[in-house]
């Protein structure tokens, strides 16, 4: 009976492909048809494609990832793999651990520099003359409050994140060990936070070398990759202190590295947070809402693209 249902589902999906090619899917009955086919698609256990979510860096702008996850979850888009850089590693790792989206949203709304660093004892303006940088040890403790000492292989969703060896410029990919430590390292902004020592390396924010690690999702056997990049409009930011200068450098570096990885994804989401700077954590709610809106507006396109790729691969052997 299960075999019959599976082949009937594939037949329905094949019909969907024909409708797509003749543009009938965009008729007045498109929503009913799409929902029917999506339900059958989700029921195809074992043969549906693995869907990966790649979450880019961007400091405070990356809180849009929470909104993206919320919208994907409410629209029943399964996430089988998560890869993240910097803030994308923080949000992605927490979600991969099994943290409920409503709890992640509350956490994002209440985030502040004083909770993730020793900023309360070292004011921002003193970074210009300070001989020592801030520490991210507090960030790791903060993360462990929510996920404990979970290792990568204990997470609910397969997860990886990226850091950079500041001595060699190498990209370091974390896929094993304690997740909270790796997430902390991936979000260690150079010039603001002390590099983290790890196996004779000095590690900092992964966005320096790879701000949207789509290729890692492919290595993890993803069939369909949704990439989220909280892009900045760098022309809008004044460069007037050490933090804004570092923010601008990271924005510029990330922009140069983006083009190829964007093209390698199957679907690219760019939430509208261009005017939010890397350090404006107080605009968290605005960023979360931007992620929700951007994703909801593209849900039908995402489903169509996933179904098309599935049919091309399974039915037409492309």
């Amino acid at each position: 009976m299960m075999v019959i249902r599976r082949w009937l589902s594939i037949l329905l999906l094949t019909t969907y492909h024909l409708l797509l090619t003749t543009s009938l899917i965009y008729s007045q009955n498109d929503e009913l048809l799409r929902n029917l086919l999506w339900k059958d698609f989700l029921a195809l256990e074992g043969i549906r494609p693995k869907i990966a979510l790649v979450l880019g860096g961007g400091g405070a702008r990356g809180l849009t990832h929470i909104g993206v996850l919320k919208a994907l979850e409410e629209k029943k888009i399964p996430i089988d793999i998560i890869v993240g850089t910097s803030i994308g590693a923080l949000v992605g790792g927490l979600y991969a651990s099994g943290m409920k989206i409503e709890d992640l949203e509350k956490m994002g709304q209440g985030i502040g520099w004083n909770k993730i660093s020793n900023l309360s004892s070292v004011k921002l303006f003193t970074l210009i003359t300070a001989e020592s940088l801030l520490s991210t040890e507090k960030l790791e403790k903060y993360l462990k409050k929510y996920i404990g000492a979970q290792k990568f292989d204990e997470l609910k969703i397969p997860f990886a994140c990226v850091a950079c060896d500041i001595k060699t410029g190498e990209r370091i990919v974390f896929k094993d060990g304690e997740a909270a430590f790796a997430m902390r390292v991936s979000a260690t902004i150079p010039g603001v936070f002390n590099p983290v020592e790890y196996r004779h390396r000095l590690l900092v924010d992964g966005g320096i070398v790879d701000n949207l690690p789509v290729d890692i999702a492919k290595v993890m056997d993803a069939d369909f990759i949704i990439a989220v990049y909280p892009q900045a409009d760098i022309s809008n930011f004044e460069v007037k202190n050490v933090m804004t200068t570092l923010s601008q450098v990271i924005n510029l570096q990330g922009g140069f590295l983006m083009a190829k990885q964007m093209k390698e994804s199957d679907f690219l989401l760019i939430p509208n947070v261009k005017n939010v700077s890397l350090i404006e954590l107080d605009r968290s709610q605005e960023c979360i809402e931007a992620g929700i809106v951007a994703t909801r507006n593209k849900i039908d396109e995402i489903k169509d693209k996933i179904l098309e790729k599935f049919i091309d691969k399974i039915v037409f052997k492309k």
Side-chain angles (χ1 to χ4, degrees):
M1 193 67 184
M2 287 295 295
V3 173
I4 294 173
R5 176 173 173 75
R6 178 170 292 183
W7 281 106
L8 283 173
S9 297
I10 291 176
L11 180 60
L12 280 171
L13 289 168
T14 307
T15 304
Y16 170 84
H17 183 274
L18 296 174
L19 290 173
L20 260 184
T21 58
T22 58
S23 299
L24 290 178
I25 190 64
Y26 300 108
S27 70
Q28 292 181 346
N29 295 320
D30 65 335
E31 192 64 26
L32 179 63
L33 177 59
R34 183 182 289 108
N35 288 340
L36 173 65
L37 294 169
W38 190 253
K39 183 178 179 181
D40 280 298
F41 168 78
L42 294 178
L44 295 174
E45 295 182 12
I47 65 170
R48 72 163 179 80
K50 290 182 180 179
I51 300 170
L53 189 63
V54 178
L55 305 176
R61 291 188 302 276
L63 293 170
T64 57
H65 298 324
I66 298 173
V68 170
L69 283 162
K70 183 175 182 177
L72 291 175
E73 189 175 286
E74 71 182 12
K75 297 298 181 180
K76 295 182 171 53
I77 306 288
I79 301 300
D80 305 297
I81 298 165
I82 300 177
V83 181
T85 292
S86 194
I87 183 68
L90 299 183
V91 175
L94 288 167
Y95 190 77
S97 75
M99 190 173 185
K100 293 181 179 179
I101 193 63
E102 54 266 30
D103 294 331
L104 187 53
E105 188 173 12
K106 287 178 184 176
M107 179 181 174
Q109 291 166 343
I111 196 70
W113 288 105
N114 62 317
K115 292 184 177 180
I116 61 175
S117 73
N118 60 334
L119 188 59
S120 58
S121 60
V122 184
K123 303 299 182 184
L124 276 177
F125 67 85
T126 66
L127 286 174
I128 299 172
T129 57
E131 293 182 4
S132 61
L133 301 174
L134 302 179
S135 170
T136 52
E137 288 183 12
K138 195 171 182 179
L139 172 58
E140 186 175 347
K141 292 177 182 177
Y142 183 70
L143 294 169
K144 284 187 174 180
K145 279 174 50 181
Y146 296 93
I147 68 172
Q150 282 191 73
K151 299 186 184 305
F152 278 80
D153 60 3
E154 296 173 325
L155 300 174
K156 301 294 188 298
I157 300 173
F159 170 67
C161 62
V162 173
C164 170
D165 184 342
I166 202 168
K167 293 194 296 184
T168 65
E170 292 176 83
R171 182 180 74 168
I172 308 299
V173 180
F174 281 94
K175 290 193 286 186
D176 55 33
E178 280 198 13
F181 173 80
M183 293 154 65
R184 164 202 173 186
V185 170
S186 185
T188 298
I189 303 170
V192 178
F193 298 110
N194 279 313
V196 180
E197 292 188 31
Y198 176 73
R199 295 180 181 175
H200 307 294
R201 295 182 180 273
L202 283 179
L203 302 183
V204 295
D205 195 303
I208 300 301
V209 287
D210 194 347
N211 216 23
L212 196 69
V214 170
D215 60 324
I216 295 173
K218 291 187 175 182
V219 172
M220 295 173 72
D221 295 325
D223 298 299
F224 190 92
I225 300 171
I226 302 170
V228 187
Y229 180 42
Q231 191 171 26
D233 184 350
I234 59 175
S235 64
N236 282 337
F237 301 126
E238 293 183 32
V239 180
K240 56 186 180 182
N241 57 44
V242 67
M243 283 295 284
T244 54
T245 300
L246 286 167
S247 173
Q248 193 76 335
V249 169
I250 291 170
N251 288 336
L252 288 166
Q253 179 76 356
F256 288 131
L257 297 172
M258 282 298 97
K260 182 179 179 181
Q261 296 282 38
M262 284 180 174
K263 290 178 182 177
E264 292 296 317
S265 66
D266 294 291
F267 202 95
L268 179 65
L269 280 171
I270 303 181
N272 185 17
V273 286
K274 291 183 177 180
N275 296 323
V276 179
S277 79
L278 181 145
I279 63 175
E280 292 183 293
L281 293 177
D282 58 317
R283 298 175 68 179
S284 58
Q285 186 57 44
E286 177 185 340
C287 292
I288 293 170
E289 288 296 329
I292 292 171
V293 170
T295 309
R296 284 177 178 168
N297 287 341
K298 297 291 185 179
I299 282 293
D300 288 346
E301 289 183 49
I302 292 171
K303 286 183 176 180
D304 290 347
K305 290 288 185 181
I306 291 171
L307 289 169
E308 281 186 84
K309 189 160 188 178
F310 168 77
I311 293 162
D312 285 343
K313 182 177 180 179
I314 302 298
V315 180
F316 296 100
K317 306 296 182 183
K318 289 186 179 179

